[in-house]
Amino acid sequence: MSTFPPDPFDDPSDPARGGSTATIEREELREELEPGDRERFSHYVRKEKIMESALTGEPVIALCGKVWTPGRDPKKFPVCPACKEIYEGLRSGDDS
């Protein structure tokens, strides 16, 4: 006598079912993000700092102050508003 509960995939009235194994297949498309990357922005950092980070693995600091190790395609995300504002202020030459 079996003490296990009945198998939900085993239909005893279906003679074509030879076993109790079922496979459910589905395709899931999801872009995985890095931890702490919920904001989904690209940040401004000096090119030489990004190259240095790629060689050493050391984190970089963006104009807005975010610290992280680059490793994703920045073209997939919009530019950080704070970085953009700071960058435009630097480029305009204003003394304010």
Side-chain angles (χ1 to χ4, degrees):
M1 176 173 230
S2 175
T3 60
F4 295 109
D7 187 343
F9 296 109
D10 188 20
D11 183 4
S13 65
D14 184 8
R17 263 185 98 99
S20 63
T21 304
T23 303
I24 299 172
E25 294 185 27
R26 68 178 179 185
E27 186 174 332
E28 185 174 329
L29 300 174
R30 184 188 311 177
E31 182 176 344
E32 295 296 325
L33 299 174
E34 297 174 14
D37 205 21
R38 302 273 183 243
E39 62 189 39
R40 299 182 184 181
F41 289 125
S42 294
H43 296 273
Y44 287 153
V45 178
R46 291 181 178 242
K47 286 182 184 180
E48 59 268 12
K49 293 293 184 183
I50 292 176
M51 294 299 293
E52 184 179 321
S53 175
L55 295 173
T56 65
E58 294 291 318
V60 295
I61 303 173
L63 289 177
C64 68
K66 178 175 178 165
V67 179
W68 86 106
T69 304
R72 61 187 176 142
D73 184 4
K75 294 176 184 173
K76 292 183 179 180
F77 302 95
V79 175
C80 167
C83 281
K84 186 174 184 177
E85 183 179 334
I86 294 168
Y87 180 74
E88 289 172 352
L90 293 173
R91 301 297 292 174
S92 68
D94 291 342
D95 290 335
S96 56

